[in-house]
Amino acid sequence: MIAPVVLTETAKKVWEAVRAGPKDVADVVQTTQLDQSLVMVAALEAQQQGFFDVKERVRLELDPVPDAAARLQQGLPERQALRLLIDAGGSLSVPDFTQRAQAQGLPVHEIFRWGSARGWVERTKGQPPMVRVTDAGRLAVDEPADDERALRLALEGTRFLDEQALQGVDPVAVEQLLGKRTDLAKLRKRTQRILSLTTQGLEALSRAKVKREQNALAPEDFQSGAWRDITLRPYDVTLPGKTVYPAKIHPLRKIMEQTRRAFLELGFEEVVSPMVESAFWNFDALFQPQDHPARDMQDTFYMLDPARIPLPPPEVVEPVRRTHEHGGDTGSTGWGYKWSEREAERVVLRTHTTAATIRALAAHPNPPYKAFCVGWTYRNETISFKHLPVFHQIEGIVIDEQASLATLLGTLTAFYQKMGFAKVRFKPAFYPYTEPSVDVMVYMESRGKWIEMGGSGIFRPEVSEPFGCKHPVLAWGLGLERLAMLRLGFSDIRQLYQGSLDAMEEVALCR
Ligand code: PHE
């Protein structure tokens, strides 16, 4: 006895659908209500075993453009031109014809192209050159051509050229005339698959067994013993997976954490420092003169309440005052003005994390010392694609007897490399508290541009010496949001805070 063929429930449906005779895949999909891919899987498997016959038929489908009906109604330009010529007695000089055709709004170039392709008109050389209706043109004037009939039929729903051929339209002529006229209609190749049972398949169907397929076994399947007849459906690892968007940390937070880790790994200590700060720590301690424009209300947010806070003890304030006024013990001549305590007591939202740095320096003036701070900063700035009034800086200092400009550039390069930027560049800059000063640029691959990331330098003696530090101090303040923007491939910094949830979802968990 021959072993019965075992079919899945899906395969059984497909087989049954073609039991009565050959059927198009599309019809099978319709009768079985199965997905086309499932139908094809079942069909190809059956074909491999010799139970199915799968025939492919390539058909040409005519798909008219949306306004094809109107243009047909009006008459294709070459047909309108044909009438024009016949009305004018059958021939005109080329310039004359061109002028009249244009007056009717007809595209002359197309008329010559398609008119002569159909053999309706011909041009004669001579002085002047003439356009003339041919005999074929005269015959054609009241008779729609194959392509016009084809378009009409397609508009009425008979779209396949082989079906149209049954109604007397010549598919070869249609292909020639419409194949390249894509502004009127598109000719598409459609592959149709016809499924049928072979004699062997028909015989197999009569004794086929259906196996129950499930994705998993349920407790009831064990209790009832049904598990014996159930086949577990195999996983198809080739099917596309569904994209999942699990909950995740906001990308900016993540980059902030990576930044902290990078500096911790480089042996830095993390410092925290107030965001609401005295002008003393934000400006004066950094040797910024009290009439410096950066202190202006235009650039800096001042607090109204409290408007002032007490200054640190005199042993901290006095050296700073003396440095501002005449250079103190630093060898500098200072700014040469009367330093005001009142001005230094004003309360600001810190304009840079360098306020944190100088506090750290005051607390630890002796080498070796390395500290960093990632924190909010505030500037009275107009929002733009690269500016935010509230943003974060990545600040750091290195106090070391051996520290030099080379150490500074090396440290910053190492940091950006850890953050995934291979190309780092520096350019000379100016800050009131550093000499030399350098700005840091990184290369933005996506835009092919160098982008400014922040400032750095070596503290002037007027900054470090009043706090008892006689050694080189390297310092930098870098934009965190700029870095994040580049890393995430955003073109606008606002996307970090006001971006769409969708864009946030799309941010990869790791790279
Ligand atoms: N504070 C500077 C800024 O906000 C950056 C900087 C920090 C420059 C430390 C030099 C040294 O742009």
Side-chain angles (χ1 to χ4, degrees):
M1 198 188 100
I2 319 164
V5 183
V6 183
L7 298 176
T8 63
E9 285 164 325
T10 310
K12 182 76 186 316
K13 283 188 197 162
V14 177
W15 285 50
E16 287 294 350
V18 297
R19 188 198 272 272
K23 258 203 181 149
D24 190 326
V25 171
D27 294 337
V28 176
V29 167
Q30 188 140 57
T31 41
T32 58
Q33 293 292 306
L34 289 168
D35 189 79
Q36 164 151 348
S37 62
L38 291 178
V39 173
M40 281 315 294
V41 167
L44 294 176
E45 199 175 76
Q47 182 192 33
Q48 266 170 16
Q49 295 164 338
F51 297 134
F52 263 40
D53 202 19
V54 182
K55 280 206 182 62
E56 286 197 356
R57 176 154 77 127
V58 181
R59 306 176 82 188
L60 283 176
E61 186 185 15
L62 187 62
D63 182 14
V65 299
D67 68 344
R71 287 168 60 189
L72 210 52
Q73 182 66 32
Q74 201 180 29
L76 298 179
E78 63 271 32
R79 185 167 286 287
Q80 293 187 54
L82 183 63
R83 294 223 175 85
L84 186 156
L85 268 179
I86 289 178
D87 291 347
S91 77
L92 282 171
S93 75
V94 171
D96 213 5
F97 169 73
T98 305
Q99 201 190 11
R100 292 197 199 189
Q102 273 170 351
Q104 287 192 25
L106 295 176
V108 176
H109 172 77
E110 273 192 46
I111 292 171
F112 283 130
R113 178 169 178 197
W114 300 112
S116 30
R118 294 173 189 278
W120 287 354
V121 294
E122 62 186 9
R123 275 201 277 187
T124 58
K125 296 205 176 75
Q127 249 347 301
M130 304 288 288
V131 205
R132 207 172 54 205
V133 176
T134 62
D135 291 343
R138 281 183 202 284
L139 285 176
V141 71
D142 291 318
E143 189 65 29
D146 282 300
D147 58 337
E148 291 165 311
R149 292 174 57 202
L151 278 172
R152 179 76 57 221
L153 283 172
L155 287 164
E156 287 162 8
T158 309
R159 292 162 66 98
F160 288 105
L161 293 198
D162 56 282
E163 295 168 334
Q164 298 189 345
L166 300 177
Q167 307 209 24
V169 176
D170 176 8
V172 180
V174 175
E175 241 190 289
Q176 265 171 10
L177 288 166
L178 287 178
K180 290 201 185 68
R181 213 164 175 180
T182 48
D183 62 316
L184 206 54
K186 307 247 178 331
L187 257 186
R188 295 214 174 81
K189 267 197 181 129
R190 297 265 183 235
T191 306
Q192 211 176 32
R193 291 184 183 83
I194 315 269
L195 311 180
S196 57
L197 281 165
T198 60
T199 12
Q200 206 189 339
L202 205 58
E203 195 269 330
L205 180 58
S206 63
R207 57 189 168 78
K209 270 200 163 176
V210 176
K211 73 174 163 193
R212 261 179 80 194
E213 264 195 333
Q214 282 178 204
N215 287 337
L217 291 174
E220 304 79 70
D221 299 327
F222 290 105
Q223 281 156 8
S224 68
W227 62 271
R228 284 176 226 276
D229 303 319
I230 295 172
T231 313
L232 285 176
R233 205 168 277 140
Y235 285 114
D236 184 349
V237 291
T238 64
L239 289 176
K242 203 172 165 189
T243 314
V244 283
Y245 296 109
K248 61 187 169 199
I249 296 168
H250 191 284
L252 186 64
R253 265 253 79 91
K254 207 159 161 177
I255 288 175
M256 203 183 289
E257 290 314 314
Q258 286 169 4
T259 301
R260 297 179 56 237
R261 201 178 319 138
F263 279 108
L264 292 169
E265 280 171 8
L266 289 169
F268 282 70
E269 179 180 308
E270 183 167 17
V271 294
V272 280
S273 182
M275 295 183 286
V276 178
E277 186 54 288
S278 63
F280 178 81
W281 287 115
N282 195 78
F283 296 122
D284 296 281
L286 290 162
F287 196 54
Q288 285 208 46
Q290 292 190 324
D291 61 356
H292 192 280
R295 293 188 175 221
D296 211 85
M297 294 257 283
Q298 241 78 61
D299 295 304
T300 301
F301 291 116
Y302 285 90
M303 289 280 283
L304 278 180
D305 186 16
R308 299 188 199 276
I309 56 171
L311 292 181
E315 63 268 27
V316 177
V317 175
E318 273 315 296
V320 171
R321 172 223 293 284
R322 290 171 46 231
T323 312
H324 275 248
E325 291 189 347
H326 48 73
D329 307 327
T330 64
S332 161
T333 55
W335 296 115
Y337 68 98
K338 175 104 184 72
W339 186 79
S340 151
E341 243 170 56
R342 295 280 293 163
E343 191 59 39
E345 282 168 358
R346 293 181 71 184
V347 182
V348 302
L349 298 185
R350 75 174 165 210
T351 62
H352 51 190
T353 40
T354 317
T357 289
I358 194 65
R359 276 177 177 267
L361 174 77
H364 299 267
N366 296 319
Y369 183 62
K370 296 195 283 188
F372 78 98
C373 165
V374 181
W376 289 109
T377 52
Y378 306 81
R379 285 183 200 173
N380 197 354
E381 204 141 27
T382 312
I383 299 182
S384 80
F385 78 95
K386 55 176 182 176
H387 287 114
L388 292 168
V390 181
F391 59 100
H392 291 84
Q393 278 189 327
I394 306 160
E395 188 87 19
I397 51 163
V398 173
I399 311 174
D400 196 289
E401 286 170 48
Q402 305 297 321
S404 65
L405 184 63
T407 322
L408 175 66
L409 307 191
T411 307
L412 292 177
T413 307
F415 165 67
Y416 280 111
Q417 274 172 358
K418 270 178 181 285
M419 297 306 287
F421 297 94
K423 293 189 194 159
V424 185
R425 216 191 233 177
F426 302 94
K427 68 170 189 198
F430 174 80
Y431 295 97
Y433 29 92
T434 46
E435 181 56 42
S437 307
V438 266
D439 276 348
V440 195
M441 329 263 290
V442 302
Y443 191 68
M444 186 176 186
E445 297 288 347
S446 61
R447 289 200 180 185
K449 267 190 187 165
W450 290 91
I451 304 284
E452 209 165 284
M453 300 300 279
S456 70
I458 303 179
F459 275 159
R460 294 163 65 137
E462 292 98 324
V463 174
S464 41
E465 287 186 16
F467 296 103
C469 175
K470 290 228 175 240
H471 299 283
V473 180
L474 315 178
W476 55 85
L478 316 166
L480 177 78
E481 282 79 0
R482 288 245 174 126
L483 194 156
M485 173 172 133
L486 295 203
R487 271 278 297 271
L488 300 172
F490 291 170
S491 55
D492 191 316
I493 205 159
R494 286 169 287 198
Q495 279 171 276
L496 289 168
Y497 292 102
Q498 305 169 342
S500 71
L501 218 48
D502 290 350
M504 286 298 148
E505 274 182 352
E506 298 284 330
V507 171
L509 271 177
C510 58
R511 295 199 293 172

